[in-house]
Amino acid sequence: MDSSLTAVGLPIALGIIMLGLGLTLTVADFRRVVGYPRPILIALGCQALLLPALCFGLVVALNLRPALAVGMMLLAASPGGTTANLYSHLFGGKVALNVTLTAVNSVLAVVTLPIVVNLSAAYFLDDAGSIGLQFDKVLQVFAIVLVPVAIGMVLRARSPRLADRLARPVKILSVVVLVAVIVGTVLKERENVADYFVAVGVAVLIFNVASLAIGYGVPRLARVGRRESIAVGMEIGIHNSTLAITIAVSPALLNSTEMAIPAAVYGIVMFFTAAAFGYLVTRRRKREGIPA
């Protein structure tokens, strides 16, 4: 499985996306997030505890092959992907919360991801080996998220009019580039897509939909605001599949193409399920006349 298009093209696309988001943010947005820690604690609890437990029960119930089961657990333990910021932005979520959650989740993954995957390997595999998260990948996530956002925020702070003029064109460009990368990836893997979906399609779809529902539903049950709940839903429902693939296929880590299959399928499915989720949430809000 050749994921070079995703590994190179998607980070570039997301860098453009994050620049566009930064053009819409101010320091006050982050101050407000710090003032409301409950959504952050709920999101981190779901990410670190609830989703791995859910995924474990799912792979056991579906009786997946051992390597695929470990690949699913690797996906569940991976931090939220930066694509969550785009979907949150498009569907009215609090983007500053997404940016904060992505950064915090990436740091926590240094500890939580190896623990979850090592326990999963010990349970599902006869010859389990230990893994470690590559620090350069964590730094890459920080760079993709924080550097373009910081540049955009500096532009807004120094020249609000210029930021306003750039915001819409950059947003359109980011969507075009992201769609191009997605289409290119699907076309590049068209000979293998069917086999991948047969192997883990049901498990990936159930896990993805459940992640989105948990990410949005748990905060709402805890009386968290709608915009914050949308942000958490996207953050919990959109995992960093590129990071999971890298860990799976790296010779220094898991060195298994089969373990990368769940993340590869998820990387395709999540774009459509997240869009459908965002549409449903937005449509319900407009139908009921609920303020954002």
Side-chain angles (χ1 to χ4, degrees):
M1 179 171 53
D2 182 4
S3 60
S4 58
L5 181 61
T6 301
V8 176
L10 192 54
I12 293 175
L14 293 177
I16 299 173
I17 291 167
M18 298 313 297
L19 173 63
L21 297 182
L23 291 171
T24 68
L25 296 175
T26 66
V27 175
D29 294 319
F30 292 90
R31 288 175 181 165
R32 283 192 290 270
V33 170
V34 174
Y36 297 93
R38 187 166 52 173
I40 296 177
L41 294 177
I42 292 173
L44 296 180
C46 290
Q47 174 69 54
L49 300 174
L50 190 54
L51 290 191
L54 170 69
C55 187
F56 178 79
L58 179 63
V59 299
V60 170
L62 294 178
N63 195 28
L64 292 185
R65 297 199 304 265
L68 295 178
V70 174
M72 284 292 299
M73 295 302 296
L74 167 62
L75 178 64
S78 297
T82 49
T83 313
N85 298 275
L86 170 63
Y87 279 90
S88 182
H89 181 55
L90 292 176
F91 294 105
K94 180 159 285 190
V95 179
L97 177 58
N98 286 103
V99 174
T100 302
L101 285 172
T102 299
V104 174
N105 263 329
S106 299
V107 174
L108 292 181
V110 176
V111 177
T112 59
L113 193 149
I115 291 175
V116 170
V117 177
N118 286 333
L119 289 175
S120 303
Y123 183 87
F124 291 109
L125 302 177
D126 295 330
D127 183 19
S130 62
I131 71 165
L133 182 64
Q134 293 175 304
F135 285 98
D136 62 334
K137 293 300 175 183
V138 176
L139 294 176
Q140 185 181 46
V141 172
F142 273 114
I144 293 172
V145 174
L146 298 182
V147 173
V149 168
I151 293 174
M153 291 181 66
V154 169
L155 285 175
R156 170 154 292 279
R158 295 188 175 183
S159 182
R161 292 184 179 179
L162 176 62
D164 289 336
R165 289 198 299 268
L166 291 176
R168 182 175 177 81
V170 171
K171 181 179 179 180
I172 294 174
L173 176 62
S174 66
V175 173
V176 170
V177 173
L178 181 59
V179 170
V181 172
I182 296 170
V183 173
T185 301
V186 173
L187 291 177
K188 191 176 182 64
E189 296 292 332
R190 61 186 177 276
E191 295 180 358
N192 301 317
V193 167
D195 292 336
Y196 293 165
F197 272 88
V198 169
V200 294
V202 173
V204 165
L205 180 60
I206 293 174
F207 177 69
N208 187 202
V209 173
S211 298
L212 289 165
I214 289 171
Y216 179 77
V218 172
R220 290 301 288 164
L221 289 175
R223 297 185 178 181
V224 171
R226 186 168 296 271
R227 289 188 64 204
E228 290 84 354
S229 297
I230 292 174
V232 174
M234 293 301 182
E235 194 69 29
I236 296 301
I238 302 179
H239 293 264
N240 194 333
S241 57
T242 302
L243 179 62
I245 291 172
T246 302
I247 293 173
V249 301
S250 173
L253 298 174
L254 292 178
N255 193 27
S256 172
T257 300
E258 188 174 9
M259 290 184 188
I261 290 175
V265 174
Y266 185 93
I268 298 173
V269 170
M270 69 178 185
F271 291 108
F272 302 100
T273 53
F277 163 77
Y279 171 77
L280 290 174
V281 172
T282 304
R283 182 182 179 185
R284 177 176 178 272
R285 185 187 69 209
K286 290 180 179 178
R287 185 175 66 248
E288 297 179 0
I290 302 173

